[in-house]
Amino acid sequence: MPWWRGRPVCCPGDDRLKAAVIGAGTMGRGIAQVFAQSGHDVVLTDMNQEVLPSALKNIWDSLERLRKKSLIEEEPSQVLTRIRTVKQIDEIGQNDIYIEAIFEKLNAKMDLFRIIDRIAPKSSIIASNTSSISINLLSTTVKAPGRFIGMHFFNPVPVMKLVEIIKAERTEQSTVESVVAIARGLGKEPVTSKDFPGFISNRILMPILKEAMLCLQEGVSTAQEIDRTAKLGLNHPMGPLELSDFIGLDVVMDIMEVLYTEFGEERFKPPIILRNMVNSGMLGRKSGIGFYRYGEE
Ligand code: 3HC
């Protein structure tokens, strides 16, 4: 049995895990960072090789912010020595844990897990960072579903404390315990959830975001006033429209679609305003325009 099964990961530099992160977008780069920050060796890849240099730059910037506030002791360049990028999925090699963090499309994830399953050693854990797709369904792609699990991080990963851990029907208890221990070792607070659509977090969040969008769609108030209400009246760190832009409107729509399909309930149906924005390429911060404009004074 691998050493980390069922007991907490220790200190950086001690009992290092080998972690593979597949997908170097916002979430994947954040996940790679927190593993490396905690002393683990990381291999990071993405089907679009061109994003790898910007992922490393972004990780360096984030580490520098943390170092300036004395939240980490190591120099960013030192932490980065533990992150290796590879251009092809076949090159990720043998690891203790594989974490998928690609876009929210079922078939793409299923295909990827079949590849990971061919590469991964028998003792390794295979995890998905999916926001809403069924972990049970994804687990059918691997030979040993007992070591398949959901490990859902939050954006920005280096700052957000929570990791939602999702147990599928066939996930072994030892896998849950290992992933709880690994999450704690990353300095995170794990919560466990059954495999229900949206798990806990997005089942709560999506109706909030949807109602805010409907307030805007129905002309109840402006985007700024809706967000100010949530920030000043409800003490949310970001307003729901600002948060939607931050997550990515395409991602929000994908999550709502999964919840709507699975529960069949109107409360999760993506509102027209969101569909129209996504269809016209207004994806939030990453596209420069969403409910707000970015990159302008
Ligand atoms: N790396 C390192 N540090 C970072 C960082 C990063 N990527 N992003 C922010 N920080 C730090 C800043 O340096 C700052 O530290 P300080 O307070 O000690 O100076 C602190 O975090 C706050 O950042 P800012 O001052 O830049 O800005 P804010 O005060 O507005 O905070 C925020 C930014 C942490 C993103 C805050 O607005 C927030 O918590 N927003 C809500 C985020 C949220 O809800 N995330 C979950 C989204 S849902 C999700 O991810 C699930 C998925 O399935 C959809």
Side-chain angles (χ1 to χ4, degrees):
M1 180 183 282
W3 61 266
W4 37 268
R5 289 219 161 189
R7 71 182 179 86
V9 176
C10 188
C11 339
D14 183 15
D15 293 338
R16 284 156 72 153
L17 281 175
K18 286 171 79 180
V21 180
I22 303 100
T26 307
M27 298 306 286
R29 57 188 70 175
I31 296 167
Q33 176 182 335
V34 294
F35 270 86
Q37 234 174 270
S38 306
H40 303 302
D41 291 315
V42 180
V43 55
L44 175 66
T45 190
D46 195 287
M47 64 187 285
N48 178 8
Q49 311 168 6
E50 284 165 22
V51 304
L52 294 172
S54 71
L56 291 177
K57 164 80 174 69
N58 188 262
I59 292 172
W60 192 93
D61 290 343
S62 173
L63 289 167
E64 184 58 13
R65 282 165 90 170
L66 298 174
R67 194 196 57 81
K68 277 192 180 144
K69 285 182 286 178
S70 305
L71 292 173
I72 56 168
E73 285 173 12
E74 275 186 304
E75 288 295 323
S77 53
Q78 187 60 35
V79 176
L80 280 170
T81 60
R82 292 193 289 275
I83 303 180
R84 182 169 61 92
T85 58
V86 295
K87 292 182 179 165
Q88 303 291 336
I89 180 84
D90 304 347
E91 298 170 60
I92 55 178
Q94 305 254 305
N95 294 278
D96 300 308
I97 184 164
Y98 294 78
I99 303 170
E100 166 275 316
I102 67 166
F103 46 91
E104 253 345 60
K105 295 288 177 221
L106 175 66
N107 289 342
K109 287 189 194 278
M110 301 276 272
D111 289 345
L112 176 61
F113 282 121
R114 288 189 191 99
I115 298 172
I116 294 174
D117 196 43
R118 285 205 302 270
I119 300 169
K122 278 203 183 98
S123 60
S124 63
I125 287 175
I126 303 182
S128 175
N129 178 56
T130 181
S131 309
S132 55
I133 293 175
S134 165
I135 300 299
N136 279 301
L137 195 53
L138 294 175
S139 74
T140 60
T141 54
V142 300
K143 286 188 288 295
R147 58 187 173 86
F148 193 94
I149 198 159
M151 196 175 187
H152 182 211
F153 289 82
F154 292 80
N155 183 20
V157 180
V159 176
M160 302 297 282
K161 279 281 171 202
L162 188 70
V163 178
E164 220 172 9
I165 292 170
I166 304 100
K167 184 180 184 306
E169 293 301 317
R170 297 168 73 188
T171 309
E172 286 166 14
Q173 190 53 28
S174 62
T175 304
V176 177
E177 285 164 13
S178 293
V179 173
V180 164
I182 290 168
R184 290 213 175 101
L186 300 175
K188 303 293 181 194
E189 294 286 343
V191 292
T192 49
S193 167
K194 284 191 182 165
D195 184 27
F196 264 62
F199 319 128
I200 305 169
S201 57
N202 280 321
R203 185 170 174 177
I204 296 172
L205 180 61
M206 291 304 136
I208 296 175
L209 302 186
K210 177 176 176 179
E211 278 313 314
M213 291 174 198
L214 288 177
C215 283
L216 186 64
Q217 183 175 303
E218 292 163 13
V220 177
S221 196
T222 62
Q224 287 82 355
E225 296 288 84
I226 293 166
D227 279 344
R228 266 160 52 84
T229 304
K231 282 194 279 196
L232 303 181
L234 308 175
N235 230 6
H236 290 193
M238 277 179 172
L241 301 175
E242 196 187 356
L243 180 58
S244 300
D245 276 357
F246 182 67
I247 295 170
L249 299 187
D250 50 342
V251 176
V252 171
M253 192 160 99
D254 285 344
I255 300 170
M256 286 186 187
E257 294 280 18
V258 172
L259 289 168
Y260 181 49
T261 307
E262 295 290 321
F263 284 113
E265 290 174 17
E266 195 70 15
R267 65 190 156 127
F268 296 117
K269 186 176 179 184
I272 294 167
I273 188 172
L274 176 63
R275 281 192 190 283
N276 285 346
M277 290 173 80
V278 172
N279 288 344
S280 64
M282 296 165 73
L283 306 181
R285 277 198 196 185
K286 62 186 164 191
S287 70
I289 182 165
F291 291 105
Y292 299 92
R293 287 180 179 276
Y294 301 89
E296 294 171 5
E297 280 307 304

